[in-house]
Amino acid sequence: MPPFHVMVKPIGPVCNLNCAYCYYLRKDGLQPPGHDFRMTEHVVERLIRAHIAASPGPHVDFAWQGGEPTLMGIDFFAHVVALQQRHLPPGWTCANALQTNGTLLDPQWCAFLKKHGFLVGLSMDGPAALHDRYRVDKRGRPTQAAVVRGLRLLQQHGVEHNVLCVVHAGNASHPLDVYRYLRGLGVTWLQFIPLVEPVGADGVSPRSVAPEAFGAFLAEVFDEWVRHDVGRVFVQLFEECAAVWSGLPASLCTLQETCGRALVVEHNGDVYACDHFVLPAYRRGNVLDASLETLADAPEQLRFGEAKRTRLPQACRECDVRFICQGGCPKDRFAHSADGEPGLNYLCAGYRHFFHHVDPALRRIVALIRDGGEPSRIMAQLRREGGQAHVVGRNDPCPCGSGRKYKHCCMGDGAKP
């Protein structure tokens, strides 16, 4: 079986913020009123032992999310680090990643994170006017200034970090404002996550990003990146695309043919199929009662993962960008294809636009790499050509460097490398 990833929720859905679009705040309904959502020492030790035991080694990755995991306090994570060192076999190493809203970070936190080599993911949706539209505290007050303070502390302490930006109805029409703002803050690793909130049978909330808007957002950011920032700023989706265009497998679960290898462990040790399927029907067991390998390889979990491939509508099976899209995340596959077949990804139109848009530039980047050059050389090429990263005529030379016309080369092969 392929390896699996574990995301740990040590404080469940508890958070100091009240972001309007946060789907995890509602998970408190899985427990009775008054429930203590803090992970106990007994559960965290069993989890750490189980995760190490399930790993092929000699390196183990731990990912801590929430809610807001910093609410657990530094002492909890100091205990985590001590337990990891106690249970790691000789010669093994481990690393920790922490996703946070950043508002509770202070010098003590950042010194701890730096000392123990934590990778910190910081949630920020762009400039204040865009970020504060939905990311507010319990009293409805803006939070962006506090997030920036947290970012500056991470930078001052030399903590490795990235930014997770949710693309929603409030910021989708401002792609360059968002990207340039984050780049201006010194952020060099970025993730763009689309907000999709299903409503009814096949509708979405007003906050949700429209498919076309999401595709246009990604395309505009890509054009800025490919002209100015290749090798300097790393955007998760762009890096994944470059890998797949190069013939490598995708590492991002939403772009893989199957899923089910990204488990979630809740504060009480309950294990669920996926971060987006923390629901009673997708509970696989508990780390206090079963090994993680057993739960990851349970028949129902394997069926859950395979369903991503087996339930693709015909339109997806015949699509020229299936090789990179693979139907997208199952949580978003509630739309209908043109012929009425269910199971189409709500964001299909946006992804198709984006993948076709970036194809010529990605082929050029792949050609540079195969010729032993640096991908960043594409920026100089585009400057010489007037900066057009994506406009290639049918009769123009193919950007892959074959010497043939585009219509007789890669254009005739669809988008697939």
Side-chain angles (χ1 to χ4, degrees), residues 308-367:
K308 184 181 180 186
R309 173 172 54 197
T310 59
R311 295 181 183 176
L312 273 179
Q314 192 63 30
C316 290
R317 297 177 188 276
E318 298 173 353
C319 181
D320 61 352
V321 295
R322 178 185 173 182
F323 75 99
I324 177 65
C325 177
Q326 302 296 353
C329 183
K331 77 178 180 65
D332 298 328
R333 287 165 54 171
F334 53 83
H336 290 74
S337 63
D339 60 3
E341 187 177 3
L344 187 72
N345 195 300
Y346 163 78
L347 295 167
C348 174
Y351 277 126
R352 281 183 55 82
H353 170 73
F354 170 70
F355 292 136
H356 283 116
H357 180 89
V358 302
D359 176 70
L362 287 174
R363 290 181 183 277
R364 296 177 70 157
I365 289 174
V366 170

Side-chain angles (χ1 to χ4, degrees), residues 259-274:
C259 60
R261 310 305 288 177
L263 302 175
V264 167
V265 180
E266 273 289 336
H267 64 289
N268 61 356
D270 282 347
V271 178
Y272 290 86
C274 169

Side-chain angles (χ1 to χ4, degrees), residues 13-67:
V14 178
C15 187
N16 62 312
L17 301 190
N18 191 29
C19 300
Y21 57 63
C22 183
Y23 64 94
Y24 228 81
L25 294 177
R26 299 187 293 273
K27 300 303 178 182
D28 58 0
L30 294 173
Q31 304 296 337
H35 179 80
D36 183 3
F37 284 93
R38 296 177 66 86
M39 184 173 278
T40 66
E41 290 188 8
H42 178 54
V43 172
V44 74
E45 181 162 16
R46 288 291 292 272
L47 165 66
I48 289 171
R49 290 176 60 187
H51 191 23
I52 292 173
S55 172
H59 182 79
V60 189
D61 288 307
F62 289 84
W64 308 89
Q65 296 204 15

Side-chain angles (χ1 to χ4, degrees), residues 99-408:
Q99 184 67 37
T100 176
N101 60 46
T103 61
L104 301 178
L105 295 177
D106 58 22
Q108 185 180 6
W109 257 114
C110 292
F112 171 83
L113 295 168
K114 173 61 176 177
K115 177 181 178 180
H116 296 288
F118 276 64
L119 168 63
V120 175
L122 192 69
S123 298
M124 189 188 307
D125 292 354
L130 304 177
H131 173 97
D132 290 332
R133 180 160 184 177
Y134 297 131
R135 297 191 66 83
V136 296
D137 67 11
K138 298 295 187 184
R139 296 172 62 181
R141 297 174 300 188
T143 63
Q144 204 262 2
V147 179
V148 173
R149 285 196 297 271
L151 172 64
R152 292 307 189 202
L153 285 169
L154 292 172
Q155 293 171 335
Q156 291 165 16
H157 285 79
V159 179
E160 187 178 0
H161 60 279
N162 58 49
V163 163
L164 186 157
C165 175
V166 175
V167 182
H168 48 67
N171 63 6
S173 60
H174 304 278
L176 296 185
D177 291 338
V178 171
Y179 178 72
R180 290 171 179 171
Y181 176 78
L182 295 174
R183 182 181 61 189
L185 290 176
V187 175
T188 56
W189 285 90
L190 278 166
Q191 301 177 54
F192 292 112
I193 308 297
L195 176 64
V196 180
E197 295 179 307
V199 174
D202 55 5
V204 296
S205 73
R207 290 188 294 260
S208 298
V209 63
E212 296 79 4
F214 183 58
F217 180 99
L218 293 175
E220 286 197 46
V221 172
F222 179 87
D223 286 351
E224 175 81 359
W225 172 82
V226 81
R227 294 182 182 110
H228 304 289
D229 297 319
V230 179
R232 293 194 287 263
V233 178
F234 299 88
V235 180
Q236 183 189 49
L237 181 58
F238 303 168
E239 300 298 320
E240 287 285 322
C241 286
V244 175
W245 257 257
S246 299
L248 300 173
S251 60
L252 187 63
C253 62
T254 56
L255 301 181
Q256 293 174 345
E257 190 174 20
T258 61
C259 60
R261 310 305 288 177
L263 302 175
V264 167
V265 180
E266 273 289 336
H267 64 289
N268 61 356
D270 282 347
V271 178
Y272 290 86
C274 169
D275 182 38
H276 293 285
F277 290 86
V278 178
L279 300 164
Y282 296 94
R283 181 182 177 273
R284 300 305 184 222
N286 191 287
V287 296
L288 300 179
D289 305 320
S291 70
L292 284 173
E293 304 104 306
T294 300
L295 300 178
D297 296 334
E300 59 270 26
Q301 183 65 5
L302 297 179
R303 287 194 296 270
F304 170 82
E306 282 292 324
K308 184 181 180 186
R309 173 172 54 197
T310 59
R311 295 181 183 176
L312 273 179
Q314 192 63 30
C316 290
R317 297 177 188 276
E318 298 173 353
C319 181
D320 61 352
V321 295
R322 178 185 173 182
F323 75 99
I324 177 65
C325 177
Q326 302 296 353
C329 183
K331 77 178 180 65
D332 298 328
R333 287 165 54 171
F334 53 83
H336 290 74
S337 63
D339 60 3
E341 187 177 3
L344 187 72
N345 195 300
Y346 163 78
L347 295 167
C348 174
Y351 277 126
R352 281 183 55 82
H353 170 73
F354 170 70
F355 292 136
H356 283 116
H357 180 89
V358 302
D359 176 70
L362 287 174
R363 290 181 183 277
R364 296 177 70 157
I365 289 174
V366 170
L368 284 169
I369 295 171
R370 288 175 178 167
D371 288 342
E374 291 294 327
S376 58
R377 287 174 53 194
I378 191 173
M379 294 185 292
Q381 292 179 358
L382 294 175
R383 282 194 296 272
R384 290 193 299 269
E385 298 164 10
Q388 295 301 311
H390 61 278
V391 178
V392 181
R394 292 170 51 84
N395 293 309
D396 291 340
C398 186
C400 76
S402 67
R404 293 183 292 171
K405 291 183 178 181
Y406 184 48
K407 67 182 179 182
H408 295 311

